[in-house]
Structure formats: C-alpha cells, structure tokens
Amino acid sequence: PETDTPIRAACKEFKRQMLSYIEELAQEAGLENPREVAAALSILLEGSIVTAQVSQDPACARTARQAAEVLVDRASTSSAIA
C-alpha cells in the first residue's frame, strides 16, 4: 500500500486530532489513565462506525455506547483499562 498519499495524511491527522480530543475529555472528566481511555474509546468509535456501515445495523451505536460506558465507569474507579 502507498504510505505517503495526501488522503492517508489527512486520515492520520484526523485520527490524531480525534484521539487528542477524546483524551482531553477524559482528563476533564478526571478519569484515570486518560491516554489509555482515549485509545480504547477511539478504537471503539472507529470500529462501531465501520461495523455500522458494513452491516447496515444501527444497533452498533447502542452497543458501542454500552461498551464506552463500561470503559468510562472502570476508568473512574480504578487505575487500569486493560
């Protein structure tokens, strides 16, 4: 695959900005390990979008939200995500 295309660069920058934004929100919420929380939520967000697009199942958003709530609850009460 081509690694230095303008589209790839734009995608990488978008992912960087989204991760940074989610990490900022995690910090503002006082969550433990905001970087780890942001990484997990970013993967969950992207995975749910792709799954919803491929499967045409809007329930993916509901499932992703439930998983995100578990991650956030866990990060607000402990120091580890993994």
Side-chain angles (χ1 to χ4, degrees), residues 22-38:
I22 294 171
E23 183 176 353
E24 183 180 315
L25 292 175
Q27 288 172 340
E28 289 175 6
L31 302 180
E32 298 281 340
N33 300 310
R35 181 169 289 162
E36 290 178 23
V37 172

Side-chain angles (χ1 to χ4, degrees), residues 2-80:
E2 297 177 48
T3 59
D4 60 350
T5 66
I7 291 175
R8 186 178 294 267
C11 290
K12 285 176 72 172
E13 178 59 17
F14 173 77
K15 288 178 185 292
R16 186 198 64 73
Q17 289 178 4
M18 185 58 71
L19 180 62
S20 177
Y21 176 66
I22 294 171
E23 183 176 353
E24 183 180 315
L25 292 175
Q27 288 172 340
E28 289 175 6
L31 302 180
E32 298 281 340
N33 300 310
R35 181 169 289 162
E36 290 178 23
V37 172
L41 291 174
S42 293
I43 290 170
L44 182 60
L45 173 65
E46 187 170 342
S48 66
I49 291 169
V50 171
T51 302
Q53 293 249 335
V54 171
S55 69
Q56 297 293 301
D57 182 1
C60 294
R62 195 170 25 260
T63 302
R65 181 184 176 132
Q66 292 168 347
E69 288 173 354
V70 170
L71 288 169
V72 169
D73 286 347
R74 184 169 176 194
S76 65
T77 60
S78 77
S79 62

